[in-house]
Amino acid sequence: MKDIYQRLKTLGVDAPFVRSRILPDWWDDAQATVPATRAVAEFAISRFLGIPIADLRDPTASLALPAPSHAKLKLRSDATREKVAPGLALADRAARLVVDLLGQNEEGTPLPDFTGTRTAAQVRQHILEAGELVTLGTLLEFAWSNGIAVVHLADVPKGSKTFDGMACFVEQVPVVVLASRRQSPPWVAFHLAHELGHLLLGHARAGGGPVVDAGLDAASGDPLEREADVFALEVLTGSRKPSLPTPSLTGPNLAAWASRTGALERIDPGTLSLVYGRERRRMPVAQLALARLHLDVGAQGMAAEALAKRVPEGLPEDLGRLLAPEPTTA
């Protein structure tokens, strides 16, 4: 396998990632000396990275990651298309494999047809009418029940810059791929709401390229990104500019204020904590409040559970490795 690992490394895909997330659980590199067994590894790598098997089999062939055509990349200043290519290739493949799996699903609940564009107010009203707050859990259910598949990558290769999310269409099926390493449900709820904005506002369309976002925590000068940010804020809070308290709150005081205000205004207290931290430029305080509210872990598991409900017979083992969240400790 040395020749494959060396060539993949030049693309930003490290060998430990390939072994842990792409190759079968039983794989041992020594087995690659048997051509038929090495073919198993070649197939798995080709399946998840989109690299032709013929290139993997030829030790002299250079490898290239396929990039989705016409991708709209909204990147941090420290990222380039090449630096996010490994994660982007995995996101594209995961989206396609999940949509294909849902299309073959005979026992579970089929994915309904996409209901089309909606305003932020309509999305929020739909969720609140069910007697719920707008949280990561209710956003996931909204997406799935309105024909939008949501996938969360468990990890990306070490050589890849992370990105927060991608909104795309696989044929006629809209898909959100989340890839943030954050575990806080309110954080990931914002990422999901932002990507839903790209889909429901028509920024990403069937037949067009994906919209890929990195650095949603930072302000963006891109008009589509600002529009998706406003959409997300309105879905989560009901306002484009929520009222906030003094900038001198401590973490415990912020958690208490967010709990009181959230109950009155039907807003997730974790969301209020993050809005406060972002607007007041006190994110460490917001992080302390999230921990106090017990809203700092579990996001990946929630996304995985929402997908599993649509595939009751279970994900294929190889796809499960790519999407299975790492264990978290409270």
Side-chain angles (χ1 to χ4, degrees):
M1 293 291 291
K2 185 176 180 180
D3 68 284
I4 290 183
Y5 290 148
Q6 287 178 336
R7 288 179 290 156
L8 289 176
K9 186 177 181 180
T10 66
L11 304 179
V13 182
D14 55 292
F17 180 87
V18 175
R19 294 190 191 99
S20 65
R21 294 294 182 181
I22 294 180
L23 297 179
D25 288 340
W26 51 263
W27 179 261
D28 186 296
D29 285 347
Q31 296 169 314
T33 57
V34 180
T37 310
R38 171 168 158 139
V40 173
E42 293 165 345
F43 174 80
I45 294 169
S46 177
R47 174 172 161 82
F48 286 110
L49 294 179
I51 299 172
I53 288 180
D55 292 345
L56 293 168
R57 288 178 178 170
D58 181 357
T60 66
S62 60
L63 304 181
L65 293 168
S69 59
H70 311 298
K72 303 171 187 176
L73 304 182
K74 315 299 181 184
L75 303 177
R76 301 181 183 91
S77 59
D78 63 341
T80 64
R81 181 179 290 265
E82 292 72 24
K83 288 181 179 179
V84 299
L88 184 54
L90 283 168
D92 181 70
R93 298 298 289 180
R96 294 180 184 280
L97 289 169
V98 166
V99 169
D100 183 59
L101 179 65
L102 293 170
Q104 301 171 15
N105 185 23
E106 297 179 356
E107 297 182 16
T109 303
L111 186 68
D113 292 336
F114 179 44
T115 54
T117 58
R118 292 198 187 191
T119 66
Q122 288 172 329
V123 174
R124 181 171 177 80
Q125 181 181 6
H126 178 94
I127 294 173
L128 294 183
E129 282 177 350
E132 303 281 358
L133 296 180
V134 181
T135 64
L136 176 59
T138 56
L139 275 175
L140 285 165
E141 288 305 311
F142 170 85
W144 281 103
S145 64
N146 286 274
I148 302 170
V150 182
V151 178
H152 200 311
L153 293 179
D155 199 4
V156 296
K158 290 181 180 178
S160 177
K161 288 287 185 182
T162 58
F163 59 94
D164 296 318
M166 179 175 85
C168 65
F169 275 79
V170 177
E171 302 300 335
Q172 299 299 312
V173 179
V175 184
V176 170
V177 181
L178 301 170
S180 171
R181 288 196 173 103
R182 296 191 182 277
Q183 282 290 345
S184 166
W187 269 112
V188 178
F190 175 75
H191 294 165
L192 176 54
H194 182 99
E195 301 309 324
L196 289 175
H198 283 312
L199 292 170
L200 297 175
L201 295 172
H203 300 166
R205 299 176 181 271
V211 178
V212 182
D213 291 298
L216 291 181
D217 308 340
S220 171
D222 185 284
L224 295 186
E225 291 307 298
R226 289 200 304 271
E227 192 174 353
D229 271 352
V230 169
F231 180 95
L233 190 59
E234 190 173 351
V235 165
L236 292 166
T237 70
S239 171
R240 297 186 175 192
K241 195 171 180 61
S243 298
L244 299 173
T246 173
S248 60
L249 292 183
T250 64
N253 287 341
L254 175 58
W257 169 83
S259 294
R260 292 193 305 269
T261 304
L264 291 172
E265 300 184 12
R266 301 187 73 185
I267 303 173
D268 178 14
T271 294
L272 283 173
S273 299
L274 288 176
V275 172
Y276 174 91
R278 185 176 184 179
E279 294 299 318
R280 300 300 195 204
R281 298 186 178 182
R282 290 173 62 82
M283 289 310 302
V285 173
Q287 296 283 22
L288 289 173
L290 289 176
R292 185 89 169 196
L293 293 163
H294 305 291
L295 291 172
D296 52 343
V297 295
Q300 283 193 19
M302 294 171 68
E305 288 174 12
L307 171 59
K309 287 171 62 176
R310 276 74 193 178
V311 191
E313 64 272 22
L315 294 175
E317 181 184 343
D318 54 357
L319 186 57
R321 282 195 303 278
L322 196 65
L323 305 180
E326 296 288 354
T328 58
T329 56

